[in-house]
Amino acid sequence: MVGRVNFNKTADFWQQNKWIGCFPVKWHIIKDAPNSILKYITLENNENKPVTNSRDTQEVELEKGLQMLKIFKEHINNTSVLDNFAFYEHRQRSMQEKRAKQQEKQASWNLDWDGMISPDAGDSMKTTKGAANGDANGV
């Protein structure tokens, strides 16, 4: 983290839109390491759960952090998360398009609901209000 949190800015890539704020980061190392080689490191300040069960911002004591860094340094990778970047970019775009379509559909339904247009009214545009009043034309 190389700067302050800006709570007026958000990122739209989270699947659940419940976090706010962004901050700049500088990556020093981008390397994959499987959880299986880290899970034996447990954290006393997190109910002795494996470090792999920790959440973001979990405090890690110096000794445990140094163990993790040593594992990252010594682990030999055949691939990198960057090798799969195109896949994740495509998946993100697809998720955003799906979310936009769902929002459009919801907005359309809300407009129909506000205008009391029955979803099965078809071209006749019968309103539920008119039909409920016994009006044969639904108006």
Side-chain angles (χ1 to χ4, degrees), residues 92-106:
Q92 178 182 346
R93 251 184 267 114
S94 297
M95 288 170 48
Q96 288 172 332
E97 289 170 4
K98 182 179 178 181
R99 188 178 308 142
K101 286 179 184 177
Q102 287 173 338
Q103 289 172 347
E104 285 176 20
K105 189 175 184 179
Q106 181 66 37

Side-chain angles (χ1 to χ4, degrees), residues 85-95:
F85 200 69
F87 166 79
Y88 290 110
E89 283 290 316
H90 175 72
R91 186 172 78 169
Q92 178 182 346
R93 251 184 267 114
S94 297
M95 288 170 48

